[in-house]
Amino acid sequence: MEKRLDYKGRWRNKTVAFHVSEEEGKLIDRCVSLSGLTKQDYIIRRLQCRDVVVQGNPRVYKALRNQMAEIYGELKRLEKCSGDNNELLYTIQLIAQTMNGLKGEN
């Protein structure tokens, strides 16, 4: 097993893996892309019940733009957003929170 030194000088040589459904995988990927973190850092922060603080950068803004375009297309397709569309509502809420947190940045 290869040893890896992280940015805090810790050796990371333990692998943790698990299976998720297609929907869970998409949700995790979406949350990771909107956070601006690596998937590893995002999952570790969430497992440790630490806040995920989004730092505005081009990658985060691009992810927000792409998600908003996808949501816009989905909303155009739907006549109304109902309780049956919890995944879409969760994504809208996540984007709104992220954008609200970025308001104070230039």
Side-chain angles (χ1 to χ4, degrees):
M1 189 177 305
E2 182 183 334
K3 289 185 174 183
R4 294 192 177 126
L5 194 62
D6 74 358
Y7 65 96
K8 287 189 175 182
R10 298 174 295 199
W11 289 106
R12 287 195 167 167
N13 56 353
K14 175 81 174 157
T15 300
V16 177
F18 52 93
H19 294 274
V20 296
S21 69
E22 185 72 28
E23 294 81 13
E24 291 167 330
K26 286 179 182 178
L27 181 59
I28 291 168
D29 290 341
R30 188 176 305 126
C31 291
V32 168
S33 71
L34 292 172
S35 75
L37 298 171
T38 65
K39 188 178 281 190
Q40 174 179 310
D41 288 339
Y42 179 84
I43 290 172
I44 289 171
R45 283 180 176 270
R46 297 298 296 182
L47 288 173
Q48 293 174 340
C49 298
R50 292 172 50 205
D51 289 336
V52 173
V53 179
V54 177
Q55 298 295 321
N57 63 48
R59 193 170 75 204
V60 170
Y61 290 117
K62 182 179 179 184
L64 285 167
R65 186 190 68 225
N66 291 345
Q67 279 296 305
M68 290 303 291
E70 190 177 314
I71 289 169
Y72 177 71
E74 185 68 15
L75 288 174
K76 281 179 33 180
R77 191 182 68 79
L78 299 171
E79 285 189 13
K80 65 179 182 176
C81 193
S82 68
D84 296 340
N85 210 336
N86 290 331
E87 185 177 328
L88 179 61
L89 291 173
Y90 177 80
T91 302
I92 292 170
Q93 186 177 35
L94 181 63
I95 291 170
Q97 289 171 346
T98 302
M99 292 182 84
N100 191 41
L102 294 174
K103 269 187 180 178
E105 296 183 10
N106 292 330

